Amino acid sequence: TLGLYPANHPVSQYAEELLAKISKDQSQRQKITVFKGEPNAFVFPSGSIYLSDKLIQMAESDEELMFVIMHERRHFISNDWMRTAASKSAKHSHDFLLARSGEMRSHEWESDIRALIDLDDLGVNPLGGVHLLEKLSERPEKKKKKSTDPVHGKDADRIINLQALTHLKDFKSLD
């Protein structure tokens, strides 16, 4: 089981403050919970976001964590679990393979892109996400690992893709 920080703990309150900063519609704001564990974040179909304490410790700026939180929000807003579940219901194995081929990675890429754009719209420097990904990729345990994460892909590819996006779109917060 996950070791969870209570809602009144300073680290939980900090995460709530960051979520509030990026939630345009406060009436539809999601819940965020901080757990004890290796750097990670995820969202449940209910919209509850989970953020690890080690990820918070690793971040050097609010922008880095706001990118992660926005990325998870985008998974929820885009109904990624519903789209994945729909493809799992394909009747034939070849349909399933075609439907799932790269699908989860495309959800990650889409959430990365939308998180950058959403943060920029809020006046938040979106490059915090790139900085955090760079730090995550430099962790010794990550360098030892030979295999690529099948869902997220290589950190280097995500970093290159996000940096390329800054050349394809004029980001107001980068001026």
Side-chain angles (χ1 to χ4, degrees):
T1 63
L2 294 174
L4 305 178
Y5 286 85
N8 62 351
H9 191 280
V11 74
S12 298
Q13 292 174 343
Y14 172 61
E16 276 291 336
E17 289 170 16
L18 294 178
L19 179 61
K21 286 181 182 179
I22 63 172
S23 299
K24 293 178 187 175
D25 184 353
Q26 294 297 319
S27 68
Q28 295 182 1
R29 193 158 55 113
Q30 297 157 265
K31 179 182 178 201
I32 191 163
T33 302
V34 179
F35 67 94
K36 297 173 184 175
E38 291 306 308
N40 200 359
F42 50 90
V43 64
F44 282 110
S46 65
S48 295
I49 297 171
Y50 285 76
L51 187 65
S52 76
D53 57 356
K54 295 258 172 81
L55 189 62
I56 293 171
Q57 290 170 0
M58 183 178 271
E60 295 175 13
S61 69
D62 290 353
E63 289 82 5
E64 292 177 25
L65 292 172
M66 291 165 91
F67 171 80
V68 172
I69 295 167
M70 185 64 84
H71 172 96
E72 297 306 330
R73 280 185 55 124
R74 293 312 287 165
H75 281 303
F76 174 70
I77 292 166
S78 299
N79 292 319
D80 285 347
W81 68 91
M82 289 295 289
R83 295 189 295 171
T84 301
S87 72
K88 284 182 181 177
S89 68
K91 295 184 188 322
H92 304 290
S93 61
H94 63 278
D95 291 339
F96 174 76
L97 290 173
L98 287 173
R100 293 296 306 258
S101 177
E103 177 184 22
M104 289 168 55
R105 193 167 300 175
S106 71
H107 295 325
E108 292 302 321
W109 175 225
E110 181 181 354
S111 292
D112 281 351
I113 292 170
R114 292 186 182 279
L116 249 63
I117 292 169
D118 289 350
L119 288 174
D120 184 61
D121 288 346
L122 294 170
V124 176
N125 182 342
L127 291 182
V130 173
H131 298 147
L132 187 59
L133 283 171
E134 289 170 343
K135 282 187 269 190
L136 286 168
S137 71
E138 293 299 317
R139 292 179 22 234
E141 60 270 25
K142 195 79 163 186
K143 287 186 170 197
K144 284 182 196 174
K145 198 174 175 184
K146 300 280 187 217
S147 62
T148 300
D149 177 343
V151 174
H152 295 93
K154 294 179 183 174
D155 289 335
D157 291 339
R158 290 178 76 190
I159 292 164
I160 290 168
N161 290 336
L162 292 175
Q163 288 172 333
L165 184 60
T166 66
H167 299 285
L168 298 172
K169 181 184 182 325
D170 293 327
F171 285 91
K172 300 174 289 211
S173 61
L174 298 180
D175 290 336

